[in-house]
Amino acid sequence: MSKTPKHHTYCFLNVLALKYRRHPIAIDPLSVLADLFAFSPPQEQVFCLERLCTAALTNSYTWQEGSPANAIDCGRELELLVEVAWLLYKKGADNKKPQHRAPPTVHELPMPLTAAEYQQPQLYLQQFFGYAPLRKWKAMIAAFTVNAVSNESVADELSGATPLAFSHYIKKLVYAVYRVAVLKGIELQ
């Protein structure tokens, strides 16, 4: 019986691999953060997430943000966000520098993170991937994306409070990843 390779989870980072055309191990997650927030601040990304969730939860086609391709792009951006967060989670475990204390800037408000998560976003990344592994997050994003452009509801596919938890966790993830970018001094909009 063969053993699973040590880096078998990297096969789930397909959006990063396709976009940057190299193996995910070779991708610097900090360089991806500038691309991720280049055209939209976290508030716009959360707005897109809310629209995707609303469309996915209804039993009829209700996507109102342009063509269905826009919903698919929104899902792809969420997938990219989760993949970058996973790389930050894995590579950030050994980066334990103390962070400076500062109040949220206007660009970061409203801030759904707690004070501790705001100061050390790595805490939230640990909580995020403690709730579900990378492959489950990607499966949930796929379910939301497909149901947003169909006549079905994601509530029929995912059980219990999963759709509500999905929205809550991803909203906080947008701000946690944005906060990592700010703390690392990456030039953002």
Side-chain angles (χ1 to χ4, degrees), residues 129-149:
F129 289 108
Y131 178 78
L134 176 63
R135 65 179 172 73
K136 283 195 176 186
W137 282 115
K138 290 180 65 90
M140 285 188 272
I141 291 169
F144 270 84
T145 303
V146 166
N147 285 289
V149 295

Side-chain angles (χ1 to χ4, degrees), residues 84-97 99 113 116-130 173 175-177 179-180 183-184:
V84 169
W86 187 83
L87 283 176
L88 291 169
Y89 166 68
K90 287 299 183 184
K91 293 182 178 185
D94 54 324
N95 188 7
K96 298 288 185 185
K97 287 193 314 189
Q99 308 294 339
L113 300 175
E117 293 166 347
Y118 180 80
Q119 296 299 326
Q120 294 181 331
Q122 188 69 24
L123 295 173
Y124 182 72
L125 296 179
Q126 292 170 356
Q127 179 185 356
F128 183 82
F129 289 108
L173 183 68
Y175 283 94
V177 170
R179 186 69 185 139
V180 168
L183 289 174
K184 297 295 183 180

